[in-house]
Amino acid sequence: MTTVKKQTIEKNIPTWLTILLAAACGIIVANLYYAQPLIGVISSSIGLSATSAGFIVTITQIGYVVGLLFVVPMGDIVENRRLIVISLLLTAAALTVTAVSKQAVPFLAASFAIGIGAVAAQVLVPFASYLASESSRGRVVGNIMSGLLLGIMLARPLSSLVADFFGWHAVFALSAAAVFILAIVLSKVLPTRKPSADTRYTALLGSMWHLLRTTPILRRRAAYHACVFATFSLFWTTVPLLLSGPTFHFSQKGIAVFALVGVAGAVAAPIAGRLADRGWTKPATGIALVTVVISVLLPLMIQTGSPIGITVLVVSAILLDAGVSANLVLGQRALFSLSPEIRSRLNGLFMAIFFFGGAIGSAIGGWAYATGGWSTALWIGMAFPIAAILYFATEKKQFNV
């Protein structure tokens, strides 16, 4: 009987569905990053000042944090397929508004809604883990997370290329169509999953606050990644302004090619996972944090409009994405070593905290670049991982999971 049940569960998530869910997560999460290389052209188009341009990215990330805290927990009490489809339809509607916006207020309001709806990806991942058998759960979730990471990495170059050929409005219009189609497809192929927990929504939210207060490893890993993600957001918010400015004169196509180099940093993720499996989480974390510092220090030391300057920025981008990707995997690996019953809420809290750090980084980055230039932005960007390293120096042995 056990064998029959196991085979039945495994048939519920065939390879094609795993691929679909991985692609879905990539399509959904990419919406958080499409505007990042376009903040210059978008801000001038909708009438935002240079000092406020960073809010184009910040407001979406804040919406995502709100969704992680108030929507994702509903996955434990609301039928999952319905929650996912409703979130995607909200995202598609918000993307449509951004595609036709010509003023700042409707654009920013819709960006906030895009952030909230994008948490559908964080409902899909645990949904897939429920469908998979215990023996294949790690592989399935790993494959789906790979799709999510690829969406993050490819969003910037894709939006730059589309904007270069068709204008920035087309980026959001095409994404709105893709997300709407995805909502229809998932509504047809996803099985129904009604959680068995009979918990009130308010009690669920209250338990998250309790987890934050009573789980020191969550607070520590979230603090590390909030710092490095602030630098990540600051860098990718400001470097398009530098590249399109008088020093380099890059077109959107050129910025897209540059953004593609960040994909190479994703190779650090599986390496970090293997190191963590061998019990080397602490030294690997130290290496990841130092790598982020170096990624910001290099362009601070070498600033030139020559090919050498571009090479330094390329190396910096790869190192930054590698350090951030590795630290993310190490953090999630540490959290997933805890009780299975609380993993979804721990992951939601973890991501909400570090995305809030990213929102701060993008907001400060836009302001710093407009008021003090590239060097000022980099100095601020380096302060975040240095703060993380100082906190990391206080880490005790029990946190080395």
Side-chain angles (χ1 to χ4, degrees):
M1 179 66 70
T2 303
T3 304
V4 173
K5 286 185 177 179
K6 185 175 180 181
Q7 289 175 346
T8 302
I9 293 173
E10 289 184 331
K11 287 180 180 178
N12 284 335
I13 187 161
T15 301
W16 68 265
L17 183 54
T18 302
I19 295 173
L20 174 62
L21 294 179
C25 284
I27 291 170
I28 295 166
V29 80
N31 289 298
L32 300 173
Y33 299 93
Y34 284 141
Q36 212 162 40
L38 307 176
I39 62 170
V41 293
I42 292 176
S43 59
S44 61
S45 176
I46 63 177
L48 273 179
S49 65
T51 55
S52 301
F55 284 105
I56 291 174
V57 177
T58 300
I59 198 71
T60 308
Q61 292 176 330
I62 291 175
Y64 194 65
V65 170
V66 170
L68 286 168
L69 292 176
F70 296 99
V71 177
V72 170
M74 294 172 66
D76 288 337
I77 57 176
V78 175
E79 199 280 302
N80 284 191
R81 182 177 62 181
R82 183 188 307 164
L83 181 60
I84 291 166
V85 171
I86 291 174
S87 298
L88 291 179
L89 292 176
L90 168 67
T91 305
L95 285 164
T96 302
V97 173
T98 58
V100 298
S101 292
K102 296 181 180 179
Q103 295 180 331
V105 172
F107 182 91
L108 294 177
S111 296
F112 182 76
I114 289 171
I116 293 177
V119 299
Q122 298 307 323
V123 180
L124 272 173
V125 175
F127 184 88
S129 72
Y130 290 120
L131 295 178
S133 67
E134 186 175 352
S135 62
S136 64
R137 186 168 297 142
R139 174 178 55 82
V140 169
V141 173
N143 289 338
I144 291 173
M145 288 302 293
S146 296
L148 186 144
L149 187 60
L150 197 60
I152 293 174
M153 296 295 187
L154 293 178
R156 294 185 298 265
L158 181 62
S159 66
S160 292
L161 284 174
V162 172
D164 189 58
F165 286 105
F166 306 108
W168 69 265
H169 291 89
V171 175
F172 299 98
L174 291 172
S175 184
V179 171
F180 180 76
I181 293 171
L182 181 63
I184 300 301
V185 171
L186 292 182
S187 70
K188 301 295 184 183
V189 303
L190 287 182
T192 300
R193 179 187 174 265
K194 179 68 174 73
S196 57
D198 188 20
T199 306
R200 290 183 295 109
Y201 179 64
T202 53
L204 201 68
L205 295 181
S207 70
M208 293 180 70
W209 172 245
H210 174 74
L211 288 173
L212 182 61
R213 288 191 298 108
T214 59
T215 315
I217 192 172
L218 166 63
R219 297 195 301 271
R220 182 170 286 273
R221 296 305 316 193
Y224 295 163
H225 207 66
C227 288
V228 298
F229 201 64
T231 302
F232 176 88
S233 294
L234 182 147
F235 180 89
W236 286 108
T237 297
T238 55
V239 77
L241 300 174
L242 174 71
L243 294 174
S244 62
T247 303
F248 296 106
H249 299 286
F250 271 36
S251 65
Q252 286 299 323
K253 190 184 300 181
I255 294 174
V257 173
F258 176 83
L260 276 173
V261 304
V263 178
V267 72
I271 295 174
R274 291 188 182 97
L275 292 175
D277 287 339
R278 295 178 182 178
W280 296 348
T281 296
K282 187 170 183 178
T285 299
I287 293 171
L289 296 178
V290 170
T291 299
V292 175
V293 172
I294 294 173
S295 73
V296 183
L297 186 61
L298 281 176
L300 255 178
M301 296 174 60
I302 305 173
Q303 296 191 35
T304 171
S306 67
I308 293 176
I310 290 295
T311 302
V312 169
L313 288 175
V314 167
V315 173
S316 176
I318 294 174
L319 289 176
L320 175 62
D321 283 11
V324 173
S325 297
N327 194 65
L328 174 60
V329 171
L330 293 168
Q332 288 186 310
R333 169 65 170 76
L335 293 177
F336 289 165
S337 67
L338 304 178
S339 175
E341 290 78 16
I342 59 174
R343 285 178 188 171
S344 293
R345 280 170 283 173
L346 287 176
N347 193 46
L349 286 166
F350 173 65
M351 299 195 72
I353 292 169
F354 83 68
F355 261 92
F356 185 71
I360 292 174
S362 57
I364 292 177
W367 169 83
Y369 187 88
T371 57
W374 177 238
S375 293
T376 300
L378 289 176
W379 279 114
I380 296 174
M382 191 161 60
F384 291 117
I386 288 177
I389 289 174
L390 293 175
Y391 186 33
F392 172 71
T394 69
E395 182 173 305
K396 297 179 181 179
K397 188 175 181 180
Q398 66 261 35
F399 293 114
N400 187 24
V401 181

